[in-house]
Amino acid sequence: MGLKRLLQKLVQPETTVDIFQNVSYSQEGEDLVLGRIFEFQKKGFFVDVGALHPKRFSNTFRFYRLGWRGINIDAMPGSMALFREIRPEDINLEVPVSDKEEALDFYVFNEHALNTFSKEMAEERSQKEIYNIERVVKVQTRTLAGILDQHLPKGTSIDFLTIDAEGLDFQVLKSNNWEKYHPKVVLIESELDVKGMIGSEMDLYLEALDYELYAKTVKTYFYKHKSFNV
């Protein structure tokens, strides 16, 4: 290929696929950060708690397209229908996760990304004119450890765990059996800024498990296990 043709191929019109484009499906580019962390790993396994949608705001769909597989978990009734259609090779579970098994109220919004177990958070969000609570459903929670005991394929290690549980994030963390299941990377959403996060109860909990803060997007914190070299 001559130099002129090569330059024409590289500088493509906007209507064609841009070979330099780096596509993200995450809300804040979390999948691109993960892509950098696991740059040289062709396949792996993830666990997505609060998965919401198979593509929209998904930290894992980009990896699914690359051949990774995992477990998607969401509390929203009916949420897994699309997952079974779009991501049939994943394990798709419709169950809320917390640090104990109990019946909780789940607040369902007209914008499902705002769904939460927190009454306070639900009331605050419903004050905005464009958002409203469509319904409140009673759901039965399970621990993450119990779910993994039942559904994680035998002999499979978890490369990354991503949690966006809208009000139960720390409870999800505490519900895991960390001696048995220890992902290389943990993603956790928090409203705290960096100064507030460092030294917080969640930060100290992960530090005690040998995780260290490695990266951050707007609201998502990436904790890497100290034994995992990037």
Side-chain angles (χ1 to χ4, degrees):
M1 181 183 294
L3 179 60
K4 185 176 180 180
R5 285 188 62 196
L6 177 61
L7 290 173
Q8 288 174 339
K9 185 175 180 63
L10 292 176
V11 185
Q12 299 180 50
E14 292 182 3
T15 54
T16 63
V17 175
D18 188 341
I19 62 171
F20 298 111
Q21 185 177 13
N22 206 352
V23 177
S24 172
Y25 292 90
S26 296
Q27 188 171 14
E28 300 172 356
E30 290 93 338
D31 53 357
L32 299 183
V33 178
L34 286 167
R36 174 63 182 84
I37 293 172
F38 294 101
E39 184 176 5
F40 302 107
Q41 187 171 322
K42 291 185 177 180
K43 291 188 178 181
F45 198 90
F46 53 78
V47 175
D48 189 346
V49 180
L52 180 68
H53 189 278
K55 291 184 179 181
R56 182 182 183 233
F57 295 162
S58 175
N59 293 343
T60 57
F61 182 63
R62 188 172 187 266
F63 288 85
Y64 184 83
R65 292 187 66 193
L66 293 172
W68 287 50
R69 295 296 177 259
I71 300 175
N72 302 305
I73 307 168
D74 199 87
M76 173 69 182
S79 59
M80 287 300 125
L82 267 180
F83 278 88
R84 288 190 290 270
E85 179 183 333
I86 296 173
R87 295 169 63 168
E89 294 183 42
D90 278 343
I91 298 165
N92 302 306
L93 306 174
E94 199 172 290
V95 58
V97 184
S98 186
D99 55 348
K100 55 185 175 182
E101 297 187 358
E102 59 183 337
L104 292 178
D105 287 334
F106 186 57
Y107 298 85
V108 180
F109 277 78
N110 58 326
E111 165 54 83
H112 289 171
L114 301 179
N115 293 348
T116 180
F117 287 99
S118 169
K119 183 179 180 180
E120 181 181 304
M121 193 177 289
E123 290 175 347
E124 181 184 332
R125 289 172 173 176
S126 64
Q127 297 302 312
K128 296 184 180 180
E129 210 169 285
I130 59 174
Y131 302 132
N132 62 273
I133 300 171
E134 291 185 329
R135 57 196 167 114
V136 181
V137 294
K138 188 73 74 174
V139 293
Q140 184 69 33
T141 64
R142 291 189 62 192
T143 64
L144 181 58
I147 292 170
L148 295 178
D149 284 344
Q150 182 178 354
H151 295 282
L152 186 70
K154 189 175 181 180
T156 300
S157 59
I158 302 168
D159 291 291
F160 70 87
L161 164 66
T162 175
I163 302 171
D164 183 3
E166 297 295 345
L168 287 184
D169 304 73
F170 195 19
Q171 287 91 326
V172 172
L173 272 181
K174 292 187 290 185
S175 78
N176 185 35
N177 181 344
W178 292 96
E179 291 185 8
K180 192 173 183 180
Y181 308 115
H182 40 87
K184 297 172 184 173
V185 177
V186 176
L187 284 71
I188 189 83
E189 186 177 279
S190 176
E191 297 290 335
L192 295 173
D193 60 18
V194 176
K195 288 182 179 179
M197 187 63 168
I198 295 174
S200 68
E201 188 178 9
M202 193 182 304
D203 177 69
L204 294 176
Y205 181 83
L206 286 165
E207 186 179 316
L209 294 168
D210 283 333
Y211 286 87
E212 58 188 358
L213 182 59
Y214 181 77
K216 180 188 183 300
T217 57
V218 178
K219 291 185 178 180
T220 301
Y221 289 84
F222 296 71
Y223 282 83
K224 180 184 72 67
H225 197 272
K226 292 177 182 177
S227 65
F228 175 47
N229 297 315
V230 177

